Amino acid sequence: MEKIVLKAQNEEELKNMVSRSLTLKEDETYRVKVLKYPKKILFISIKGEYEIEIIKKSELKTDEIKTGTEKPKVQNEYKIAKKDKKETRRESGNNFQKDSNKNYRNENAEKTVINQPDTNIDKIRAFFKEFIVSIKLDIRIVNIKKENNNKYLVILDGKDMRFLIGEKGNTLNSFEYLLSTTKQFKNLKIVVDSNNYKEKREKSLRDLARKKGRAVLATGNAIKLNPMSARERKIIHEEVSFMKGLKTESMGEEPKRYLVIKKLDEKF
């Protein structure tokens, strides 16, 4: 029988799409197979994929037929997915606890201990392990290292990193901001990077600053930039400071704080 694949964010949206897409005969109904479950990561929603198969009513059991159509089993499959998600999270947590206990015993077995282990790294690693399991994306932890007293760099990789980075790094910036507001990381600065994305982003920001700076000098009109993180605003500030006759001002409130590039007043 005929099969089509639809993308929807939830069961209600899927039902509406099915009603618009299918024209069923009196002796026909349809069956839903979930190919990929929908996901929501911070500010990004990824639609699920569903295979819709038109079949004869006679192929279904009596209790599966309701008002001439088969009720999609999306809701039940969502529940199964949530259950699997919780079990996976518990399993991940148990494995992490076992690994931590094993490492702790091995360290105590050493006769000479040079430095005390950094508990913040363990705490950050545990958080990211649980986060990666919960979002079910192809992302892995490459390394976590301390850069100074309260700043830590988390390096991630995987084919789904584009979802965490987002357009021009907006999702990644929002993610880092949310991390800074959580109670467990209140006194820490956590920076997330992948495949030197931050370095590449810094280069593009410096190019942007020079381009917009030249435009301000040529026209005399101030230019407002899109909202950026504190780190990215600092890069723009620094690059514009190298250009004679220009200044930058930060305006707005976090996380939508932005920069304006202006010409210096003549008296300056």
Side-chain angles (χ1 to χ4, degrees), residues 6 9 19 54 58 75 86 106 116 136-137 139-140 156 173 185-186 211-212 229 243 262-263 267:
L6 299 176
Q9 189 58 50
S19 65
I54 299 176
S58 57
Q75 184 175 0
K86 290 179 180 177
N106 289 339
Q116 292 295 326
K136 292 185 177 180
L137 291 181
I139 296 174
R140 67 181 184 277
L156 304 177
N173 290 337
F185 301 132
K186 185 177 180 181
K211 178 181 177 181
K212 296 299 183 182
S229 66
M243 303 180 72
K262 301 178 178 181
K263 287 188 71 174
K267 62 181 180 179

Side-chain angles (χ1 to χ4, degrees), residues 43-131:
F43 310 107
I44 294 180
S45 295
I46 304 174
K47 292 187 176 183
E49 292 186 10
Y50 307 90
E51 182 183 85
I52 312 299
E53 180 183 10
I54 299 176
I55 60 175
K56 297 290 185 181
K57 290 181 181 179
S58 57
E59 297 180 27
L60 296 177
K61 296 179 182 178
T62 305
D63 60 354
E64 289 179 321
I65 302 175
K66 184 178 181 182
T67 64
T69 58
E70 178 198 7
K71 183 179 180 181
K73 298 182 179 60
V74 180
Q75 184 175 0
N76 292 335
E77 287 167 332
Y78 282 164
K79 292 178 180 178
I80 293 172
K82 290 179 180 178
K83 181 179 178 182
D84 292 343
K85 180 174 162 183
K86 290 179 180 177
E87 290 176 352
T88 305
R89 188 181 297 176
R90 284 199 297 269
E91 181 181 351
S92 175
N94 291 337
N95 290 338
F96 174 72
Q97 186 63 43
K98 289 177 182 178
D99 292 341
S100 298
N101 291 337
K102 182 179 178 181
N103 291 335
Y104 179 75
R105 288 194 296 270
N106 289 339
E107 287 172 359
N108 280 326
E110 299 281 346
K111 291 184 179 180
T112 304
V113 178
I114 299 176
N115 294 315
Q116 292 295 326
D118 191 332
T119 57
N120 285 330
I121 290 181
D122 292 337
K123 184 166 60 174
I124 294 169
R125 189 182 302 278
F127 170 84
F128 274 87
K129 278 190 174 182
E130 184 174 354
F131 173 73

Side-chain angles (χ1 to χ4, degrees), residues 11-68:
E11 182 180 359
E12 183 179 355
E13 182 180 355
L14 177 63
K15 287 181 179 179
N16 292 334
M17 293 179 70
V18 169
S19 65
R20 293 195 305 268
S21 304
L22 299 184
T23 302
L24 301 174
K25 298 178 182 178
E26 289 186 3
D27 63 338
E28 290 181 337
T29 182
Y30 63 90
R31 183 158 45 206
V32 179
K33 179 181 179 182
V34 181
L35 302 178
K36 187 181 295 184
Y37 288 99
K39 301 171 184 176
K40 188 169 184 179
I41 312 167
L42 298 177
F43 310 107
I44 294 180
S45 295
I46 304 174
K47 292 187 176 183
E49 292 186 10
Y50 307 90
E51 182 183 85
I52 312 299
E53 180 183 10
I54 299 176
I55 60 175
K56 297 290 185 181
K57 290 181 181 179
S58 57
E59 297 180 27
L60 296 177
K61 296 179 182 178
T62 305
D63 60 354
E64 289 179 321
I65 302 175
K66 184 178 181 182
T67 64

Side-chain angles (χ1 to χ4, degrees), residues 93-240:
N94 291 337
N95 290 338
F96 174 72
Q97 186 63 43
K98 289 177 182 178
D99 292 341
S100 298
N101 291 337
K102 182 179 178 181
N103 291 335
Y104 179 75
R105 288 194 296 270
N106 289 339
E107 287 172 359
N108 280 326
E110 299 281 346
K111 291 184 179 180
T112 304
V113 178
I114 299 176
N115 294 315
Q116 292 295 326
D118 191 332
T119 57
N120 285 330
I121 290 181
D122 292 337
K123 184 166 60 174
I124 294 169
R125 189 182 302 278
F127 170 84
F128 274 87
K129 278 190 174 182
E130 184 174 354
F131 173 73
I132 291 170
V133 168
S134 66
I135 61 177
K136 292 185 177 180
L137 291 181
D138 185 355
I139 296 174
R140 67 181 184 277
I141 301 171
V142 177
N143 193 19
I144 300 175
K145 58 184 180 180
K146 186 175 183 179
E147 295 201 323
N148 56 39
N149 291 336
N150 65 345
K151 183 178 179 181
Y152 291 82
L153 175 63
V154 180
I155 301 175
L156 304 177
D157 198 7
K159 67 179 184 180
D160 290 333
M161 271 303 300
R162 65 186 186 279
F163 296 119
L164 188 58
I165 292 174
E167 184 180 1
K168 296 181 179 179
N170 289 336
T171 304
L172 187 59
N173 290 337
S174 299
F175 180 54
E176 290 179 345
Y177 175 74
L178 289 174
L179 285 175
S180 68
T181 63
T182 59
K183 185 177 180 180
Q184 64 186 122
F185 301 132
K186 185 177 180 181
N187 298 318
L188 301 180
K189 170 71 174 177
I190 299 177
V191 177
V192 183
D193 199 4
S194 177
N195 295 320
N196 294 323
Y197 171 79
K198 290 290 178 71
E199 182 179 336
K200 297 171 186 175
R201 175 64 175 162
E202 178 176 341
K203 182 180 182 303
S204 67
L205 286 172
R206 292 189 183 279
D207 291 342
L208 175 68
R210 289 192 294 270
K211 178 181 177 181
K212 296 299 183 182
R214 286 193 293 267
V216 172
L217 289 172
T219 64
N221 298 324
I223 292 180
K224 172 185 172 183
L225 302 181
N226 292 328
M228 297 179 184
S229 66
R231 174 184 174 275
E232 293 188 339
R233 293 197 306 272
K234 182 179 178 181
I235 293 171
I236 298 290
H237 274 303
E238 182 180 275
E239 193 63 30
V240 172

